[in-house]
Amino acid sequence: MLDTNPTIVIVVALYLLATIGIGVWATRRTKTTSDFLVAGRNLGMFVMSIAVFASIQSGFGVLGGTGMAFTDGLVFVSGIGLAAVLGFGLAWFLVGKRLWRMGSEGEVYTLGDVVERRYRSPAVRGWIAVAVALGVIGYLGTQVQAMGVVMASIFGISPTSGALIGLGILAVYAIGGGTIAAVYTDVFQGVLLVVVSVVTFFVAVNAVGGTADITTTLQGEDPALASAFGALPAVTIACWIFLFAVGAAAQPQLLTKFLMIRDTAQLKWGALTAGIAYVCTMFLVVGVGLSALALSIRGEFPAVDTPDQALIVFMTDYTPPVLAGLALAAILAAIMSTGDAFATLGAASLVRDLPRAFGMRVRNELLWSRVAVAVLLVASVLFSLYLDTLVALLGVFGWGTFAAAIFPAVVLGLVWSRATKAAAITSIVLSLVINFVLEVGQLYGFAPLPEGVVNGAFALAASTLIFILVSLLTRPRPAEGGDEPAGEAAQPRSP
């Protein structure tokens, strides 16, 4: 456990108070289910774009990305970071206007609403809800763990206490303000993360002697560390590029933001804005990760138990306390901005999508959505504290589950009118099975894929292929209670 620094504590405490203040303001504005789930469909371009970036950039991207740079060089940036930025453009180009138009035609608040309207099938809504719920549980559990580690390093408390404090603050605005609170805290947190990332890059590089010294040190240790793709196999990099470029366009915390904007004019420049913000955070990953690696090679960096600790150790030991406090607040921002988005998504799946898949409607969805957020947050603590293995198991479902389950059924389904209900259900179920079998099997020595192939990328490729094949082999059928084929009922217009 790191020694606490009064300046760092004060800076982080001010950040936490600011998020609470935004949450209180948002709670007062949240009056309806539309407010809670889609922010009243009243977002502008900048707010929506920064919220997208902040909800995609998580503790995995900041802590984990820096840790990967600390061990393997530029692999995270070239294989994941830049690919995620491509995913922003893919989502905007393929489905941005389509989702907005669908949302403008009625009460379309969730991906479950989207797919039921597209395929005229409650069953597809139900399976999407299951996929989202599984991914949300894993993500929330891992975010709670990350929050505990960071809070413990700041305040000198146990990770358990840190997780509970952080979760309590998150609950203040997530339960009361829903998506309005999530979006506007995301904007505050996202701007903070961007500014701190750029400043930290220059401070970190100068602390080691400049980019030339860093490059020389890395090349002297292993030329691959200073190469564009780091020290991992090329097939792994290719899998990551595929998974995180295509998969970013299928993340529910991104797609649902298109249901929240005022009009399609707000889409202009959105992908560029979100992409630039995300690229700025890569400066932090590169600057701190490679600087810490160079110092470690020289024998000048403290020993760490895990690579994920490299960022926290570097900031507290090699940067001014004010910047260290802002950086640690930015790390919390990355964690909390993702956590609040997933809490709301999970609540929508439990309260709106699953009941409606079985022909039931929950009265007072706003109230029960708030209750569901609270339940999910409590459950994430229990998983994090008492079921570490299960949390780790569910955590691997996160990005890969969303990518493999949502990209074919939602993204391709909206742009391809020939897609069918049977294909959507088959691809979702297959993606869940493949992810589960591969990830669980890997824990017990079952690894059927060639070395270097990423499980999530294989699952995404397989579910996309089966979606296309089943759509070609089946014909759109009349939906229950309707006369139009499921594949034509909600045929998307051209963007």
Side-chain angles (χ1 to χ4, degrees):
M1 184 179 296
L2 300 172
D3 294 332
T4 59
N5 182 295
T7 301
I8 294 176
V9 171
I10 292 172
V11 171
V12 174
L14 290 174
Y15 155 75
L16 294 174
L17 287 174
T19 60
I20 292 173
I22 295 172
V24 171
W25 168 80
T27 299
R28 292 175 178 173
R29 291 189 56 182
T30 302
K31 307 296 183 183
T32 66
T33 302
S34 174
D35 293 336
F36 193 86
L37 296 181
V38 291
R41 291 179 55 83
N42 195 38
L43 300 186
M45 183 279 293
F46 181 79
V47 171
M48 180 265 197
S49 301
I50 296 301
V52 164
F53 141 71
S55 61
I56 291 291
Q57 182 61 288
S58 66
F60 164 69
V62 178
L63 277 177
T66 304
M68 291 181 68
F70 178 65
T71 57
D72 296 309
L74 289 171
V75 61
F76 181 87
V77 175
S78 58
I80 296 178
L82 297 181
V85 174
L86 295 176
F88 293 154
L90 192 63
W92 256 263
F93 175 75
L94 289 178
V95 295
K97 287 187 178 180
R98 289 178 169 89
L99 284 170
W100 178 85
R101 285 172 177 161
M102 192 171 285
S104 68
E105 294 172 355
E107 293 187 359
V108 178
Y109 302 152
T110 68
L111 291 185
D113 290 331
V114 169
V115 294
E116 181 167 11
R117 182 163 294 205
R118 166 62 182 85
Y119 298 102
R120 300 186 67 181
S121 169
V124 181
R125 175 198 281 268
W127 280 109
I128 280 288
V130 170
V132 170
L134 286 175
V136 162
I137 291 173
Y139 262 124
L140 275 178
T142 55
Q143 295 303 312
V144 169
Q145 287 182 327
M147 195 164 8
V149 171
V150 177
M151 293 286 283
S153 70
I154 296 168
F155 296 104
I157 56 181
S158 69
T160 299
S161 299
L164 292 174
I165 293 171
L167 197 72
I169 295 170
L170 178 62
V172 167
Y173 62 86
I175 293 174
T179 298
I180 292 179
V183 164
Y184 285 98
T185 53
D186 283 356
V187 172
F188 167 64
Q189 292 163 339
V191 170
L192 173 65
L193 183 57
V194 167
V195 173
V196 169
S197 295
V198 175
V199 174
T200 299
F201 171 80
F202 291 103
V203 173
V205 170
N206 288 332
V208 188
T211 56
D213 286 350
I214 294 174
T215 302
T216 300
T217 301
L218 299 184
Q219 288 179 334
E221 179 70 13
D222 181 354
L225 293 175
S227 68
F229 295 107
L232 291 184
V235 65
T236 301
I237 302 298
C239 286
W240 278 353
I241 291 174
F242 172 64
L243 177 61
F244 284 88
V246 175
Q251 298 302 298
Q253 71 274 29
L254 188 161
L255 294 176
T256 52
K257 297 294 192 300
F258 291 118
L259 302 173
M260 302 178 189
I261 56 176
R262 285 193 296 268
D263 54 63
T264 53
Q266 303 302 322
L267 288 171
K268 189 176 183 181
W269 307 114
L272 180 63
T273 302
I276 290 174
Y278 195 97
V279 167
C280 286
T281 64
M282 292 298 98
F283 281 99
L284 182 147
V285 170
V286 171
V288 174
L290 297 188
S291 296
L293 176 56
L295 289 170
S296 179
I297 293 171
R298 298 175 190 172
E300 301 172 8
F301 195 75
V304 293
D305 295 330
T306 66
D308 290 343
Q309 295 176 346
L311 175 57
I312 296 175
V313 172
F314 185 91
M315 296 308 303
T316 54
D317 287 7
Y318 293 90
T319 65
V322 172
L323 180 60
L326 289 172
L328 292 175
I331 298 170
L332 281 176
I335 296 168
M336 297 176 80
S337 61
T338 303
D340 59 22
F342 281 119
T344 306
L345 285 170
S349 294
L350 295 176
V351 174
R352 185 176 180 87
D353 290 334
L354 280 177
R356 293 188 181 209
F358 291 96
M360 301 180 291
R361 289 176 179 257
V362 174
R363 293 183 179 181
N364 198 341
E365 284 187 344
L366 175 58
L367 171 63
W368 286 108
S369 293
R370 284 172 164 160
V371 171
V373 168
V375 170
L376 284 169
L377 293 177
V378 171
S380 68
V381 173
L382 296 177
F383 282 127
S384 176
L385 298 181
Y386 300 111
L387 295 173
D388 290 340
T389 301
L390 183 57
V391 170
L393 177 61
L394 292 176
V396 300
F397 275 98
W399 188 282
T401 294
F402 289 146
I406 293 174
F407 183 80
V410 179
V411 179
L412 290 186
L414 287 176
V415 301
W416 187 31
S417 61
R418 185 65 179 80
T420 66
K421 172 179 66 176
I425 294 173
T426 303
S427 66
I428 295 170
V429 174
L430 180 70
S431 71
L432 296 177
V433 172
I434 291 177
N435 271 304
F436 182 85
V437 170
L438 291 179
E439 296 294 350
V440 174
Q442 189 169 313
L443 296 177
Y444 296 97
F446 175 69
L449 299 181
E451 185 177 356
V453 174
V454 177
N455 292 339
F458 176 82
L460 172 58
S463 65
T464 301
L465 179 62
I466 199 68
F467 178 81
I468 294 171
L469 290 176
V470 174
S471 290
L472 294 175
L473 293 173
T474 57
R475 300 176 66 102
R477 298 179 179 179
E480 286 187 42
D483 300 323
E484 298 173 271
E488 300 174 16
Q491 184 171 345
R493 308 183 182 107
S494 298

